[in-house]
Amino acid sequence: MYTNVAGIKSPNPFWLASAPPTNSGYQVQRAFEAGWGGAVWKTLGEPIINTSSRFAAVSFNGQRVAGFNNIELITDRPLEVNLREIEETKLRFPDHAIIASLMVEPEQEKWHEIVKRVEAVGVDGLELNFGCPHGMAERGMGAASGQVPELVEKQTYWVKEVAQTPVIVKLTPNITDITVTAESAVQGGADAVSMINTINSLAGVDIHTWNTVPNVDGKGAHGGYCGPAVKPIALNMVAECARNPSINVPISGIGGIGDWQNTVEFMLMGASGVQVCTAAMHHGFSIVEDMIDGLSNYLDEKGIGSVQEIIGKTVPKYSDWGDMDLNYQTVARINNDVCINCNKCHIACEDTAHQCIDMLKGEDGEPILQVREEECVGCNLCSIVCPVDGAIDMIEKDNNLPPLSWNTRQNAINAKSLANS
């Protein structure tokens, strides 16, 4: 289970992300005792004053904390205190990875100073926080730097001028194309990139008081969104960077990771390791036990000797829409011996898809549902809304047509046009 991310070694790929769970030596030591392989210390810099309250959550369909919102900033404790606790923690847990998250104003001297002070206490690596979307951004740091490729490159370069340990650049998702800033980080000398930081968000509005959620004495502001709801966004951004040949550095995956299955997904899409925050805040540090056991069992079942072997295995399968085979076809098939006749598939198809599911009567007169396969476009909607596993299968349909992508089609059309001109 041993992992190596850009030279930062840890006993397993599970790190705590820079956030409230890594605010102090007490917490990080408790995490290491529980089994976490590494921790990115809550962002160090000039101590700030936090607000009260500062957290909010979005629940969905009975699931608590489907999404998590915060307006908390970087450390509110003196740098000297954090450095002392980092040193103490590293002495107690020499084999665990401690990465210091850093944020200062975009000035060369300030970066040089904090890097030297932090490395002097024995950290294994640095993570530059170019992602915090609130509070610090208004002061010219965090996402304010991370949204400007030139600043990402320049500040990374300043850090690399003096750094003796690996440098990870943490990127903001609040940008049109994260690969642009990832490339800038690499050009500045980054040894790795991590993504994603939190997404600009407002958790909600209290319709009775008209206050935002959260609010501070009746005033609200946008915060950072994380938790299970952001996993698809994070996974896509990791994948986009992993398949970009210009971003040829390890990726630390962050965003909605809460179990070993999520970890496998991120690693298959190119992450060398993962960072976890919201799940630990929701369930406590002990969740890592199931994550370690689950990942270990998965590797054993697959006959895979090392977790490193799965990194990026799905990346070659991740492409652009224009490369998809337009002639590949699937259709839905309903298993009436499993179907409970809730009619959700029929309603969804009739109202919002392609009207190809019929309500019929079986030989015994009981109602059954049947797909007109010749009209089914294989959109998957019926299988998605179906509440019963195994009631609807998506079946590949052999239509005897050769593979044809949009790009291939357009290239043929353009070639024919040129030939005729």
Side-chain angles (χ1 to χ4, degrees), residues 25 87 181:
E87 188 171 29
T181 46

Side-chain angles (χ1 to χ4, degrees), residues 73-311:
L73 304 184
I74 67 172
T75 186
D76 54 11
R77 305 187 313 141
L79 181 60
E80 295 76 13
V81 173
N82 278 299
L83 294 180
R84 184 182 70 246
E85 293 180 4
I86 289 173
E87 188 171 29
E88 292 170 351
T89 304
K90 188 61 187 175
L91 287 172
R92 277 198 61 192
F93 297 90
D95 297 329
H96 290 66
I98 297 180
I99 300 91
S101 175
L102 306 178
M103 182 191 293
V104 294
E105 295 175 24
E107 297 177 15
Q108 184 181 33
E109 296 77 11
K110 292 191 174 182
W111 278 113
H112 283 187
E113 178 186 359
I114 196 167
V115 167
K116 291 175 181 177
R117 292 186 67 182
V118 169
E119 288 192 329
V121 298
V123 297
D124 299 291
L126 310 171
E127 184 179 81
L128 314 186
N129 184 345
F130 293 148
C132 182
H134 53 272
M136 305 309 294
E138 286 89 321
R139 310 176 200 195
M141 293 176 273
S145 286
Q147 290 168 333
V148 182
E150 294 79 10
L151 283 177
V152 171
E153 180 179 354
K154 182 182 294 185
Q155 292 180 89
T156 304
Y157 180 80
W158 288 340
V159 170
K160 287 294 292 182
E161 285 180 323
V162 295
Q164 301 298 309
T165 60
V167 175
I168 304 171
V169 173
K170 188 174 185 178
L171 300 171
T172 176
N174 301 304
I175 193 166
T176 304
D177 185 353
I178 200 169
T179 64
V180 174
T181 46
E183 287 179 4
S184 296
V186 172
Q187 290 164 4
D191 299 293
V193 290
S194 60
M195 64 191 76
I196 59 173
N197 210 310
T198 53
I199 301 170
N200 284 346
S201 63
L202 173 62
V205 177
D206 187 321
I207 63 172
H208 303 293
T209 66
W210 299 359
N211 285 331
T212 61
V213 180
N215 73 86
V216 180
D217 195 23
K219 294 287 185 180
H222 82 270
Y225 198 52
C226 55
V230 311
K231 192 202 89 175
I233 298 168
L235 195 59
N236 166 66
M237 291 188 174
V238 167
E240 290 295 335
C241 288
R243 74 187 184 107
N244 186 320
S246 298
I247 307 169
N248 55 343
V249 297
I251 298 171
S252 182
I254 315 168
I257 299 164
D259 53 34
W260 68 266
Q261 293 96 329
N262 297 157
T263 301
V264 171
E265 290 181 85
F266 271 79
M267 297 190 79
L268 287 172
M269 288 310 316
S272 296
V274 297
Q275 298 183 35
V276 178
C277 171
T278 305
M281 295 180 73
H282 191 182
H283 303 292
F285 291 150
S286 65
I287 62 168
V288 77
E289 297 174 10
D290 287 339
M291 297 174 84
I292 292 171
D293 289 344
L295 180 56
S296 179
N297 292 337
Y298 171 82
L299 296 174
D300 289 344
E301 290 170 5
K302 293 286 186 181
I304 299 171
S306 168
V307 70
Q308 308 287 328
E309 296 178 34
I310 70 172
I311 297 172

